[in-house]
Amino acid sequence: MKNSDTKIIRWGILGCGNVTEVKSGPAYQKTDGFEIRAVMRRDADKAQDYAKRHHITKFYTNADELINDSEIDAIYIATPPDSHKYYALKVAEAGKTCCIEKPLAPSHQDCLEICEAFKIKSLPLFAAYYRRSLPRFQQVKTWLENNSIGEVRHIRWHLSKPANETDLSGKYNWRTDSKIAPGGYFDDLASHGIDLFIYLLGNIKTVAGLSTNQQGLYDAKDAVTACWLHENGITGTGSWNFGCSQREDQVEIFGSKGKIEFSIFDDAALLLTNENGTEELFIENPENIQIYHVENMKEDLLGYSKHPSTGETAAHTSWVMDKILGNL
């Protein structure tokens, strides 16, 4: 049964850091039927500054006060991954819709516990794997569904980049803290691509990986390689290295009659090569890159369509990540 389009869903944001400045926060404000009513950050000055700049009515320094605010219908958790489960269970207990930044949690087991809490309460749970909703990757999905490269055989992804200034300086960065992100940048970046591949090609049934720390700049892993098998028989390989001389971000999907090439993070053209030649298509990402993801949440909550990125799909991605890192 569809709900009325006239209902405004009032959101609260837990953790209004950098990701919420342009990527996600404004997307909630630009989506008809959504409104950001309050934000929370432990630093009162930063919370107040964010609320003022983004024209948000209320701000909190205490998460429980935001979660239990009677004027808040839904919570977007945008804190570092190690706190996702802690806050998610509180949101479920409060009986509210939730969207959690990716990865859903640092471990597959934590993901399962989060999903179960929302399932028990029959509450919607979304994950911010927004690439599933982006037009450029919807185009890749269309090519695949139209058999533009015939039967899909294999997918390959290589992502590499040099160590950045923070890495080299030794300054603390939670993204390379093994207690928060055991795989380092692999957790933060590779999860986007692996989740997208699952969306495009189906769930993965077998996966294995090797990981190590080659540079010694931090305690998380900085070099990872993996191979996997999708349930439909498509094979896949990936390599991620965060200490190479050059940045590369190249995905290739091989089929019986052609190939598709694209990047996960770079605004590069999509390439389709088959018996008709090579088609180059550039689809620009939106300024607020989560806008389609957020709009799709509204469509789901109104009963019009199912959102492609849920707690359940994100948990499967987490299982794959854990298997690659040897955590399962």
Side-chain angles (χ1 to χ4, degrees):
M1 181 177 179
K2 296 181 181 179
N3 299 317
S4 170
D5 285 31
T6 59
K7 176 177 171 57
I8 299 296
I9 298 174
R10 303 164 298 181
W11 286 82
I13 300 180
L14 279 177
C16 46
N18 288 339
V19 71
T20 68
E21 288 286 353
V22 177
K23 289 183 176 181
S24 61
Y28 285 81
Q29 293 173 304
K30 291 178 179 179
T31 297
D32 290 340
F34 278 8
E35 174 188 333
I36 300 177
R37 183 63 62 89
V39 296
M40 174 270 166
R41 194 167 183 174
R42 285 176 294 181
D43 186 310
D45 290 338
K46 290 182 178 179
Q48 182 177 28
D49 174 67
Y50 185 95
K52 182 179 179 179
R53 287 186 292 104
H54 292 274
H55 309 290
I56 297 168
T57 307
K58 295 189 288 187
F59 68 91
Y60 292 100
T61 57
N62 182 286
D64 289 337
E65 291 179 3
L66 173 63
I67 292 169
N68 295 298
D69 186 333
S70 61
E71 295 185 347
I72 299 297
D73 306 306
I75 302 291
Y76 166 39
I77 299 175
T79 57
D82 62 325
S83 61
H84 286 182
K85 175 184 169 183
Y86 176 77
Y87 290 130
L89 296 183
K90 287 177 176 285
V91 174
E93 183 62 29
K96 299 184 177 181
T97 294
C98 189
C99 179
I100 303 177
E101 261 304 327
K102 45 64 57 186
L104 192 67
S107 73
H108 180 240
Q109 182 58 42
D110 283 350
C111 291
L112 293 179
E113 292 179 31
I114 292 171
C115 291
E116 182 63 19
F118 282 84
K119 182 180 179 181
I120 290 172
K121 292 292 191 80
S122 298
L123 291 168
L125 174 62
F126 306 101
Y129 281 113
Y130 55 82
R131 278 173 173 76
R132 290 182 177 227
S133 296
L134 283 174
R136 67 194 314 261
F137 299 120
Q138 285 295 320
Q139 178 61 55
V140 174
K141 189 172 181 65
T142 296
W143 280 338
L144 293 171
E145 291 174 347
N146 290 343
N147 295 314
S148 298
I149 60 170
E151 294 185 17
V152 179
R153 304 299 192 201
H154 182 76
I155 184 167
R156 177 173 67 196
W157 181 25
H158 176 71
L159 175 69
S160 63
K161 56 189 293 189
N164 60 38
E165 291 183 7
T166 300
D167 299 334
L168 296 171
S169 71
K171 292 180 181 178
Y172 178 77
N173 179 1
W174 67 261
R175 288 179 174 82
T176 53
D177 182 342
S178 63
K179 297 182 182 65
I180 298 175
Y185 293 116
F186 172 79
D187 288 359
D188 187 37
L189 301 177
S191 58
H192 270 298
I194 291 172
D195 183 81
L196 178 65
F197 302 159
I198 293 167
Y199 175 61
L200 295 174
L201 304 175
N203 281 354
I204 291 171
K205 68 175 183 179
T206 305
V207 57
L210 296 170
S211 59
T212 189
N213 184 309
Q214 294 179 332
Q215 303 173 90
L217 298 176
Y218 38 77
D219 59 2
K221 303 294 179 64
D222 62 9
V224 182
T225 186
C227 59
W228 61 86
L229 179 67
H230 291 267
E231 290 179 352
N232 53 16
I234 298 168
T235 57
T237 57
S239 55
W240 306 268
N241 194 294
F242 304 100
C244 290
S245 62
Q246 295 183 351
R247 175 185 171 83
E248 289 187 29
D249 176 11
Q250 179 69 17
V251 177
E252 297 170 289
I253 302 178
F254 301 89
S256 61
K257 297 181 179 179
K259 181 171 74 167
I260 298 171
E261 300 171 76
F262 59 92
S263 295
I264 298 295
F265 300 104
D266 296 343
D267 285 335
L270 309 173
L271 297 177
L272 168 64
T273 302
N274 56 23
E275 58 189 8
N276 299 319
T278 298
E279 177 182 353
E280 182 174 324
L281 187 60
F282 182 79
I283 301 175
E284 188 175 3
N285 284 329
E287 176 188 8
N288 310 119
I289 202 162
Q290 291 196 21
I291 186 69
Y292 295 101
H293 157 76
V294 176
E295 289 176 346
N296 283 340
M297 282 198 292
K298 184 197 76 170
E299 294 297 302
D300 187 299
L301 293 173
L302 291 176
Y304 295 146
S305 61
K306 293 295 184 181
H307 197 283
S309 182
T310 65
E312 184 178 347
T313 64
H316 180 64
T317 298
S318 178
W319 173 81
V320 174
M321 300 283 288
D322 272 7
K323 291 288 285 185
I324 290 173
L325 292 174
N327 295 331
L328 285 176

